Amino acid sequence: MKIEIEERTLHFKQPAGTSRGVYTERRIWLVTMTDGERVGVGECAPLPQLSCDDIPNYAEVLRRFCDQVEQTGEIDTDSMRDYPSMLFGLETALLDVRCKKEDGRGMLFDTPFSRGEEGIPINGLVWMGTYEEMRQRIEQKLEQGFHCVKLKIGAIDFEAELELLKKIRERFGPRDVELRVDANGAFPYEEALYKLELLSQYALHSIEQPIKAGQWSYMAELCRESPLRIALDEELIGVNDPDQKRQMLNIIRPAYIILKPSLHGGMTGVREWVEIASDMGIGSWITSALESNIGLNAIAQLASDIYGPAICMPQGLGTGQLFTDNIPMPLEIRGDRLWVTTD
Protein backbone atom coordinates (compact mmCIF):
# COMPACT_ATOMS: atom_id res chain seq x y z
CA MET A 1 0.00 0.00 0.00
CA LYS A 2 1.25 3.48 -0.91
CA ILE A 3 -0.26 6.77 0.28
CA GLU A 4 0.35 10.29 -1.00
CA ILE A 5 -0.82 13.46 0.78
CA GLU A 6 -1.87 16.65 -0.99
CA GLU A 7 -2.76 19.86 0.84
CA ARG A 8 -5.43 22.06 -0.77
CA THR A 9 -7.23 25.30 0.03
CA LEU A 10 -10.89 25.60 -0.98
CA HIS A 11 -12.62 28.97 -1.32
CA PHE A 12 -16.19 29.71 -0.25
CA LYS A 13 -18.55 31.22 -2.81
CA GLN A 14 -19.77 33.53 -0.06
CA PRO A 15 -18.54 33.99 3.53
CA ALA A 16 -19.90 31.28 5.84
CA GLY A 17 -20.86 32.93 9.12
CA THR A 18 -21.18 31.17 12.48
CA SER A 19 -21.21 32.48 16.04
CA ARG A 20 -17.51 31.54 16.18
CA GLY A 21 -16.56 33.67 13.20
CA VAL A 22 -16.67 33.75 9.42
CA TYR A 23 -15.02 31.26 7.06
CA THR A 24 -13.80 32.45 3.65
CA GLU A 25 -11.54 29.51 2.84
CA ARG A 26 -11.04 25.91 3.93
CA ARG A 27 -7.80 23.94 4.21
CA ILE A 28 -7.97 20.20 3.60
CA TRP A 29 -5.56 17.30 3.03
CA LEU A 30 -6.36 14.65 0.43
CA VAL A 31 -4.89 11.18 0.96
CA THR A 32 -4.53 9.08 -2.18
CA MET A 33 -4.03 5.38 -1.49
CA THR A 34 -3.11 2.64 -3.96
CA ASP A 35 -2.54 -1.09 -3.70
CA GLY A 36 -0.80 -1.15 -7.10
CA GLU A 37 -4.00 -1.72 -9.07
CA ARG A 38 -6.76 0.33 -7.51
CA VAL A 39 -6.71 3.90 -6.21
CA GLY A 40 -8.77 5.39 -3.38
CA VAL A 41 -9.05 8.98 -2.14
CA GLY A 42 -10.06 10.27 1.27
CA GLU A 43 -10.32 13.73 2.80
CA CYS A 44 -8.82 14.93 6.07
CA ALA A 45 -10.43 18.25 6.99
CA PRO A 46 -10.01 19.55 10.57
CA LEU A 47 -11.95 22.68 11.47
CA PRO A 48 -9.73 25.47 12.87
CA GLN A 49 -10.09 26.04 16.62
CA LEU A 50 -12.79 23.38 16.84
CA SER A 51 -11.47 19.94 15.89
CA CYS A 52 -9.65 18.04 18.63
CA ASP A 53 -6.97 17.26 16.04
CA ASP A 54 -6.50 20.85 14.85
CA ILE A 55 -2.79 20.79 15.68
CA PRO A 56 0.20 22.81 14.37
CA ASN A 57 2.02 19.73 13.02
CA TYR A 58 -1.07 18.22 11.38
CA ALA A 59 0.63 17.16 8.15
CA GLU A 60 3.51 15.54 10.04
CA VAL A 61 1.22 13.47 12.28
CA LEU A 62 -0.94 12.50 9.30
CA ARG A 63 2.17 11.29 7.49
CA ARG A 64 3.05 9.05 10.44
CA PHE A 65 -0.38 7.43 10.39
CA CYS A 66 -0.13 6.99 6.61
CA ASP A 67 3.24 5.27 7.06
CA GLN A 68 1.65 2.82 9.50
CA VAL A 69 -1.14 1.98 7.04
CA GLU A 70 1.43 1.55 4.26
CA GLN A 71 3.27 -1.01 6.37
CA THR A 72 0.28 -2.97 7.68
CA GLY A 73 -2.46 -2.39 5.10
CA GLU A 74 -4.85 -1.69 7.99
CA ILE A 75 -5.93 1.27 10.14
CA ASP A 76 -5.34 1.11 13.88
CA THR A 77 -8.56 2.91 14.86
CA ASP A 78 -7.79 2.80 18.60
CA SER A 79 -4.54 4.72 18.16
CA MET A 80 -6.36 7.28 16.00
CA ARG A 81 -9.34 8.00 18.28
CA ASP A 82 -7.99 11.44 19.12
CA TYR A 83 -7.41 12.28 15.43
CA PRO A 84 -10.91 11.96 13.95
CA SER A 85 -10.39 13.96 10.75
CA MET A 86 -7.29 11.93 9.89
CA LEU A 87 -9.08 8.68 10.72
CA PHE A 88 -12.04 9.63 8.53
CA GLY A 89 -9.81 10.41 5.56
CA LEU A 90 -7.89 7.14 5.83
CA GLU A 91 -11.09 5.12 6.37
CA THR A 92 -12.56 6.67 3.23
CA ALA A 93 -9.47 6.03 1.11
CA LEU A 94 -9.14 2.41 2.25
CA LEU A 95 -12.83 1.70 1.57
CA ASP A 96 -12.46 3.38 -1.81
CA VAL A 97 -9.53 1.11 -2.71
CA ARG A 98 -11.30 -2.04 -1.58
CA CYS A 99 -14.68 -1.26 -3.11
CA LYS A 100 -13.63 0.35 -6.38
CA LYS A 101 -15.75 -0.91 -9.27
CA GLU A 102 -14.51 -1.71 -12.75
CA ASP A 103 -16.01 1.54 -14.03
CA GLY A 104 -13.83 3.44 -11.54
CA ARG A 105 -16.80 4.63 -9.45
CA GLY A 106 -16.24 4.20 -5.74
CA MET A 107 -19.26 2.72 -3.98
CA LEU A 108 -18.09 2.68 -0.38
CA PHE A 109 -21.22 0.94 0.89
CA ASP A 110 -23.69 -1.11 -1.15
CA THR A 111 -26.93 0.78 -0.41
CA PRO A 112 -29.85 2.07 -2.53
CA PHE A 113 -28.39 5.58 -2.17
CA SER A 114 -24.91 4.52 -3.27
CA ARG A 115 -26.39 2.73 -6.28
CA GLY A 116 -28.28 5.88 -7.29
CA GLU A 117 -31.68 4.32 -6.63
CA GLU A 118 -32.73 6.47 -3.68
CA GLY A 119 -32.07 10.01 -2.46
CA ILE A 120 -31.34 11.08 1.11
CA PRO A 121 -33.54 13.86 2.55
CA ILE A 122 -31.42 16.84 3.62
CA ASN A 123 -31.95 20.16 5.34
CA GLY A 124 -31.34 23.47 3.63
CA LEU A 125 -28.61 25.39 5.49
CA VAL A 126 -28.97 29.14 6.04
CA TRP A 127 -25.78 30.83 7.21
CA MET A 128 -25.66 33.77 9.57
CA GLY A 129 -25.82 37.21 8.08
CA THR A 130 -27.82 40.40 8.35
CA TYR A 131 -31.57 40.10 8.80
CA GLU A 132 -32.16 40.81 5.12
CA GLU A 133 -29.46 38.38 3.95
CA MET A 134 -30.90 35.58 6.06
CA ARG A 135 -34.44 36.35 4.89
CA GLN A 136 -33.36 36.11 1.25
CA ARG A 137 -31.45 32.87 1.86
CA ILE A 138 -34.49 31.31 3.54
CA GLU A 139 -36.66 32.32 0.58
CA GLN A 140 -34.16 30.64 -1.76
CA LYS A 141 -34.19 27.38 0.21
CA LEU A 142 -37.99 27.28 0.25
CA GLU A 143 -38.16 28.01 -3.48
CA GLN A 144 -35.69 25.17 -4.09
CA GLY A 145 -38.12 22.77 -2.46
CA PHE A 146 -36.61 22.22 0.98
CA HIS A 147 -39.04 21.06 3.66
CA CYS A 148 -36.47 21.25 6.45
CA VAL A 149 -34.40 24.41 6.95
CA LYS A 150 -31.58 24.87 9.45
CA LEU A 151 -30.69 28.40 10.52
CA LYS A 152 -27.46 29.45 12.16
CA ILE A 153 -28.36 31.87 14.95
CA GLY A 154 -26.55 33.74 17.69
CA ALA A 155 -24.59 36.34 15.75
CA ILE A 156 -27.13 39.05 14.92
CA ASP A 157 -29.59 40.67 17.32
CA PHE A 158 -31.71 37.96 19.00
CA GLU A 159 -34.91 39.97 18.56
CA ALA A 160 -34.21 40.14 14.82
CA GLU A 161 -33.76 36.36 14.73
CA LEU A 162 -37.07 35.89 16.52
CA GLU A 163 -38.73 38.21 14.01
CA LEU A 164 -37.27 36.14 11.17
CA LEU A 165 -38.71 32.94 12.64
CA LYS A 166 -42.05 34.64 13.21
CA LYS A 167 -42.28 35.69 9.56
CA ILE A 168 -41.47 32.15 8.39
CA ARG A 169 -44.15 30.67 10.63
CA GLU A 170 -46.71 33.22 9.43
CA ARG A 171 -46.23 31.80 5.92
CA PHE A 172 -45.39 28.16 6.61
CA GLY A 173 -46.76 26.00 9.40
CA PRO A 174 -44.76 23.19 11.07
CA ARG A 175 -46.31 20.64 8.71
CA ASP A 176 -45.06 22.62 5.71
CA VAL A 177 -41.52 23.44 6.87
CA GLU A 178 -39.47 21.89 9.67
CA LEU A 179 -37.23 24.50 11.29
CA ARG A 180 -33.99 23.66 13.07
CA VAL A 181 -31.72 26.25 14.64
CA ASP A 182 -28.04 26.01 15.56
CA ALA A 183 -26.66 28.38 18.19
CA ASN A 184 -23.09 27.00 18.10
CA GLY A 185 -22.88 27.61 21.86
CA ALA A 186 -23.73 31.31 21.56
CA PHE A 187 -26.14 31.68 24.52
CA PRO A 188 -24.82 32.53 28.01
CA TYR A 189 -26.13 29.90 30.41
CA GLU A 190 -27.93 32.55 32.48
CA GLU A 191 -29.99 33.62 29.45
CA ALA A 192 -30.35 30.26 27.73
CA LEU A 193 -33.62 28.96 29.22
CA TYR A 194 -35.40 32.28 28.65
CA LYS A 195 -34.23 32.33 25.03
CA LEU A 196 -35.27 28.69 24.53
CA GLU A 197 -38.74 29.55 25.83
CA LEU A 198 -39.01 32.43 23.34
CA LEU A 199 -37.79 30.24 20.47
CA SER A 200 -40.21 27.43 21.34
CA GLN A 201 -43.26 29.53 20.37
CA TYR A 202 -42.30 29.04 16.71
CA ALA A 203 -42.70 25.25 16.73
CA LEU A 204 -39.05 24.47 16.05
CA HIS A 205 -37.88 20.91 15.60
CA SER A 206 -34.79 21.39 17.80
CA ILE A 207 -31.93 23.66 18.76
CA GLU A 208 -28.32 22.63 18.38
CA GLN A 209 -25.77 23.37 21.11
CA PRO A 210 -27.44 26.36 22.87
CA ILE A 211 -24.53 26.89 25.30
CA LYS A 212 -20.80 26.28 25.03
CA ALA A 213 -19.55 22.72 25.32
CA GLY A 214 -18.02 21.34 28.49
CA GLN A 215 -20.78 22.44 30.88
CA TRP A 216 -22.39 19.05 31.40
CA SER A 217 -24.44 19.93 34.49
CA TYR A 218 -25.77 23.14 32.92
CA MET A 219 -26.58 21.38 29.67
CA ALA A 220 -28.32 18.56 31.56
CA GLU A 221 -30.46 21.13 33.37
CA LEU A 222 -31.40 22.79 30.09
CA CYS A 223 -32.33 19.44 28.55
CA ARG A 224 -34.63 18.78 31.53
CA GLU A 225 -36.23 22.23 31.62
CA SER A 226 -36.29 23.35 28.00
CA PRO A 227 -39.60 23.38 26.11
CA LEU A 228 -37.49 22.93 22.98
CA ARG A 229 -35.66 19.71 22.14
CA ILE A 230 -31.88 20.07 22.41
CA ALA A 231 -29.30 18.44 20.13
CA LEU A 232 -25.61 18.14 20.97
CA ASP A 233 -22.82 18.77 18.46
CA GLU A 234 -19.70 20.53 19.77
CA GLU A 235 -20.35 18.79 23.11
CA LEU A 236 -19.25 15.51 21.51
CA ILE A 237 -15.88 16.77 20.26
CA GLY A 238 -12.96 15.19 22.06
CA VAL A 239 -15.15 12.64 23.83
CA ASN A 240 -13.61 9.61 22.15
CA ASP A 241 -13.63 6.88 24.80
CA PRO A 242 -16.78 4.67 24.69
CA ASP A 243 -17.25 4.74 28.48
CA GLN A 244 -16.98 8.53 28.51
CA LYS A 245 -19.52 8.75 25.69
CA ARG A 246 -22.01 6.72 27.71
CA GLN A 247 -21.32 8.76 30.84
CA MET A 248 -21.85 12.08 29.07
CA LEU A 249 -25.07 11.04 27.35
CA ASN A 250 -26.36 9.50 30.56
CA ILE A 251 -25.76 12.76 32.44
CA ILE A 252 -27.03 15.22 29.82
CA ARG A 253 -29.80 13.14 28.19
CA PRO A 254 -30.28 15.26 25.05
CA ALA A 255 -33.07 14.60 22.57
CA TYR A 256 -30.57 14.22 19.72
CA ILE A 257 -26.90 14.08 18.88
CA ILE A 258 -25.56 15.40 15.58
CA LEU A 259 -22.61 13.53 14.18
CA LYS A 260 -19.79 14.67 11.92
CA PRO A 261 -17.20 11.99 11.07
CA SER A 262 -14.41 14.57 10.79
CA LEU A 263 -15.10 15.77 14.34
CA HIS A 264 -16.62 12.80 16.13
CA GLY A 265 -14.35 9.83 15.58
CA GLY A 266 -14.39 9.09 11.87
CA MET A 267 -16.73 6.43 10.55
CA THR A 268 -15.86 4.13 13.44
CA GLY A 269 -16.64 6.74 16.08
CA VAL A 270 -19.91 7.79 14.44
CA ARG A 271 -21.17 4.20 14.44
CA GLU A 272 -20.21 3.94 18.10
CA TRP A 273 -22.05 7.16 18.98
CA VAL A 274 -25.20 6.06 17.12
CA GLU A 275 -25.26 2.68 18.87
CA ILE A 276 -24.76 4.15 22.35
CA ALA A 277 -27.34 6.88 21.79
CA SER A 278 -29.87 4.46 20.35
CA ASP A 279 -29.55 2.25 23.43
CA MET A 280 -30.54 5.30 25.52
CA GLY A 281 -33.45 6.33 23.31
CA ILE A 282 -31.55 9.35 21.95
CA GLY A 283 -32.03 10.20 18.27
CA SER A 284 -29.29 11.19 15.85
CA TRP A 285 -28.52 12.40 12.39
CA ILE A 286 -25.33 12.85 10.40
CA THR A 287 -23.98 16.01 8.85
CA SER A 288 -20.93 17.20 6.97
CA ALA A 289 -18.40 19.63 8.46
CA LEU A 290 -17.58 21.80 5.44
CA GLU A 291 -15.66 19.09 3.61
CA SER A 292 -15.22 19.04 -0.15
CA ASN A 293 -17.34 16.67 -2.22
CA ILE A 294 -14.84 13.88 -1.47
CA GLY A 295 -15.77 13.96 2.20
CA LEU A 296 -19.43 14.73 1.55
CA ASN A 297 -19.78 11.66 -0.68
CA ALA A 298 -18.28 9.43 2.03
CA ILE A 299 -20.46 10.93 4.76
CA ALA A 300 -23.64 10.52 2.71
CA GLN A 301 -22.83 6.90 1.92
CA LEU A 302 -22.07 6.28 5.59
CA ALA A 303 -25.43 7.76 6.60
CA SER A 304 -27.22 5.53 4.09
CA ASP A 305 -25.43 2.49 5.52
CA ILE A 306 -26.11 3.35 9.19
CA TYR A 307 -29.75 4.37 8.90
CA GLY A 308 -30.73 2.01 6.12
CA PRO A 309 -33.11 2.45 3.17
CA ALA A 310 -35.83 5.10 3.21
CA ILE A 311 -34.15 7.52 5.65
CA CYS A 312 -36.88 9.77 7.05
CA MET A 313 -34.86 12.18 9.20
CA PRO A 314 -33.31 14.97 7.08
CA GLN A 315 -29.52 14.79 7.25
CA GLY A 316 -27.09 17.73 7.10
CA LEU A 317 -25.61 16.99 3.69
CA GLY A 318 -26.33 20.12 1.66
CA THR A 319 -22.82 21.60 1.67
CA GLY A 320 -21.64 20.42 -1.75
CA GLN A 321 -22.23 23.79 -3.41
CA LEU A 322 -20.28 25.95 -0.96
CA PHE A 323 -16.94 26.23 -2.77
CA THR A 324 -15.85 27.85 -6.01
CA ASP A 325 -13.21 25.16 -6.49
CA ASN A 326 -14.89 22.05 -5.15
CA ILE A 327 -13.81 18.59 -6.30
CA PRO A 328 -16.22 17.02 -8.80
CA MET A 329 -18.13 13.99 -7.57
CA PRO A 330 -21.29 12.29 -8.86
CA LEU A 331 -23.57 14.05 -6.38
CA GLU A 332 -26.65 16.12 -7.14
CA ILE A 333 -29.32 17.88 -5.09
CA ARG A 334 -32.83 17.45 -6.47
CA GLY A 335 -35.44 19.28 -4.45
CA ASP A 336 -34.65 18.42 -0.85
CA ARG A 337 -32.75 15.18 -1.50
CA LEU A 338 -29.15 14.34 -2.22
CA TRP A 339 -28.59 11.78 -4.99
CA VAL A 340 -25.71 9.87 -6.47
CA THR A 341 -25.79 10.33 -10.22
CA THR A 342 -25.09 7.24 -12.29
CA ASP A 343 -24.94 8.71 -15.82
Side-chain angles (χ1 to χ4, degrees):
M1 196 75 72
K2 295 295 182 184
I3 304 174
E4 293 183 357
I5 302 172
E6 177 192 356
E7 182 179 339
R8 285 201 190 184
T9 299
L10 304 177
H11 300 86
F12 284 88
K13 292 179 180 177
Q14 57 187 15
T18 76
S19 60
R20 291 186 300 271
V22 178
Y23 292 111
T24 58
E25 59 183 34
R26 182 80 164 96
R27 188 162 63 151
I28 66 171
W29 285 262
L30 297 178
V31 289
T32 301
M33 185 181 299
T34 179
D35 62 2
E37 297 181 1
R38 296 166 296 181
V39 177
V41 181
E43 177 177 357
C44 304
L47 278 170
Q49 301 179 337
L50 185 62
S51 297
C52 62
D53 57 357
D54 174 35
I55 53 179
N57 60 336
Y58 188 92
E60 178 185 334
V61 174
L62 176 59
R63 182 67 258 174
R64 289 205 299 266
F65 284 125
C66 289
D67 291 344
Q68 292 174 11
V69 177
E70 284 185 341
Q71 293 169 12
T72 64
E74 300 292 340
I75 298 170
D76 183 356
T77 54
D78 284 339
S79 71
M80 295 191 69
R81 280 187 178 272
D82 293 332
Y83 303 90
S85 66
M86 299 184 200
L87 176 57
F88 175 56
L90 286 171
E91 287 174 319
T92 301
L94 188 58
L95 275 173
D96 198 18
V97 166
R98 291 176 172 173
C99 303
K100 189 75 78 176
K101 301 299 181 183
E102 290 183 1
D103 62 3
R105 188 170 63 90
M107 190 165 68
L108 308 181
F109 302 99
D110 189 6
T111 68
F113 169 76
S114 302
R115 295 193 297 268
E117 300 167 1
E118 188 176 276
I120 296 177
I122 62 175
N123 61 246
L125 178 60
V126 175
W127 292 99
M128 290 177 175
T130 65
Y131 175 88
E132 186 58 27
E133 286 172 340
M134 292 183 73
R135 187 193 67 76
Q136 291 177 1
R137 291 168 189 170
I138 291 168
E139 294 283 351
Q140 285 181 336
K141 296 301 179 186
L142 298 177
E143 288 172 4
Q144 289 166 7
F146 284 95
H147 295 91
C148 176
V149 176
K150 173 180 169 179
L151 288 78
K152 295 277 189 177
I153 64 171
I156 64 174
D157 178 68
F158 184 65
E159 295 299 324
E161 291 171 338
L162 291 177
E163 184 64 23
L164 195 59
L165 293 168
K166 179 183 177 182
K167 288 186 179 297
I168 298 171
R169 277 292 175 244
E170 286 173 350
R171 287 185 53 198
F172 302 97
R175 292 185 178 181
D176 302 312
V177 176
E178 180 179 284
L179 291 177
R180 300 172 177 174
V181 295
D182 181 3
N184 284 128
F187 298 163
Y189 165 71
E190 296 77 14
E191 301 174 10
L193 187 57
Y194 173 66
K195 289 186 173 183
L196 292 175
E197 289 171 349
L198 292 177
L199 288 166
S200 69
Q201 65 188 309
Y202 301 112
L204 305 183
H205 172 270
S206 57
I207 182 168
E208 195 173 324
Q209 202 68 43
I211 62 175
K212 288 181 179 178
Q215 306 177 84
W216 289 11
S217 60
Y218 286 161
M219 188 68 85
E221 182 180 340
L222 288 178
C223 287
R224 288 194 302 270
E225 303 295 332
S226 172
L228 187 58
R229 289 174 292 189
I230 291 176
L232 303 184
D233 177 2
E234 288 93 338
E235 201 74 61
L236 313 180
I237 297 172
V239 182
N240 300 317
D241 177 76
D243 290 338
Q244 192 179 18
K245 291 177 182 180
R246 290 188 184 89
Q247 180 187 27
M248 188 194 73
L249 292 183
N250 191 47
I251 291 171
I252 297 178
R253 291 284 172 172
Y256 303 103
I257 58 173
I258 301 170
L259 297 161
K260 301 176 173 72
S262 290
L263 294 176
H264 302 133
M267 295 185 184
T268 303
V270 165
R271 290 185 188 277
E272 198 169 72
W273 275 114
V274 170
E275 181 179 351
I276 293 170
S278 180
D279 287 345
M280 296 184 181
I282 296 168
S284 64
W285 67 87
I286 292 176
T287 179
S288 55
L290 307 182
E291 293 89 356
S292 77
N293 280 334
I294 298 289
L296 177 61
N297 174 62
I299 295 166
Q301 291 198 45
L302 175 66
S304 71
D305 189 58
I306 288 177
Y307 297 121
I311 299 175
C312 297
M313 176 85 75
Q315 309 291 300
L317 304 172
T319 57
Q321 300 169 323
L322 290 178
F323 304 108
T324 60
D325 43 7
N326 211 333
I327 299 165
M329 289 292 288
L331 297 172
E332 180 181 39
I333 296 176
R334 304 177 205 159
D336 65 348
R337 288 179 177 262
L338 181 69
W339 292 81
V340 169
T341 58
T342 56
D343 296 337

